[in-house]
Each structure stands twice: as C-alpha cells, then as structure tokens.
C-alpha cells in the first residue's frame, strides 16, 4: 500500500495538515474500521503503521496475533522514533 494512496483513501487528501480536527478524526475512524476488517497481513501492517504515525494505533498485543508481525511493528516504531530524533537534532 502506498502512503499517499492511504491518505487519499481515508482522508481525501495527500496533505493531512490541511484537515480540520473533525476531518482528521473521521479519517482515523475510517482507518481504524478498515484495520479491524482487514485480513491481509501486509495491508493490515500498513494500516497499523499509518495509525501509529497518527498516534491512534492499537496496542501491539491487540493488533497482531503473529509474533513476527508484532516484532516488525516494534522495528517500525523504533525506526520512526529514531527518525524523529534525527529531525529534532537537525
């Protein structure tokens, strides 16, 4: 799943900074609903990553039954946090 496509699908725009709080909340709700319905593990992981970046991801234990998926999510979280730290330093 392409990040920009996810933004357009769930938020109607590639630039979520332009959304009102209500539009952002509605998009997050649509995203959470799709995450709950999604059966494909790759798509489910992509949806979780976007939810994580928006501060709305469910807990790993709830989100992923497979330990490998949980570990991949932890790796993503660590990488995202390192990226934020690098941005703060630069």
């Amino acid at each position: 799943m392409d990040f920009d496509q996810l933004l357009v699908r769930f938020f109607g725009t590639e630039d979520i900074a332009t959304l009102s709080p209500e539009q952002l909340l509605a998009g997050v709700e649509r995203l959470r609903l799709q995450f709950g319905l999604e059966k494909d593990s790759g798509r489910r992981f992509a949806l979780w990553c976007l939810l994580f970046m928006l501060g709305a991801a469910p807990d790993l234990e709830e989100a992923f039954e497979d330990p490998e998926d949980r570990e991949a999510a932890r790796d993503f979280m660590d990488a995202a946090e390192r990226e934020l730290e690098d941005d703060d330093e630069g």
Side-chain angles (χ1 to χ4, degrees):
M1 295 183 125
D2 178 81
F3 181 72
D4 290 335
Q5 290 175 345
L6 287 175
L7 291 177
V8 170
R9 178 174 176 195
F10 293 103
F11 298 94
T13 181
E14 291 180 5
D15 186 4
I16 60 173
T18 64
L19 298 176
S20 70
E22 295 80 17
Q23 291 170 313
L24 186 59
L25 182 59
V28 167
E29 289 303 315
R30 288 188 292 271
L31 186 56
R32 288 182 69 98
L33 177 62
Q34 184 60 42
F35 175 79
L37 297 173
E38 186 59 59
K39 301 296 183 201
D40 179 85
S41 64
R43 282 185 240 158
R44 188 171 169 82
F45 184 78
L47 296 172
W48 183 89
C49 289
L50 181 53
L51 283 166
F52 175 78
M53 292 177 6
L54 295 170
D59 181 68
L60 294 179
E61 299 299 321
E62 296 173 24
F64 302 108
E65 291 181 18
D66 186 330
E68 289 180 17
D69 289 341
R70 286 193 298 270
E71 187 60 32
R74 283 186 194 95
D75 290 344
F76 177 82
M77 290 169 42
D78 290 342
E81 288 174 7
R82 279 192 306 273
E83 185 70 27
L84 287 174
E85 289 171 2
D86 290 347
D87 285 349
D88 288 342
E89 292 173 6

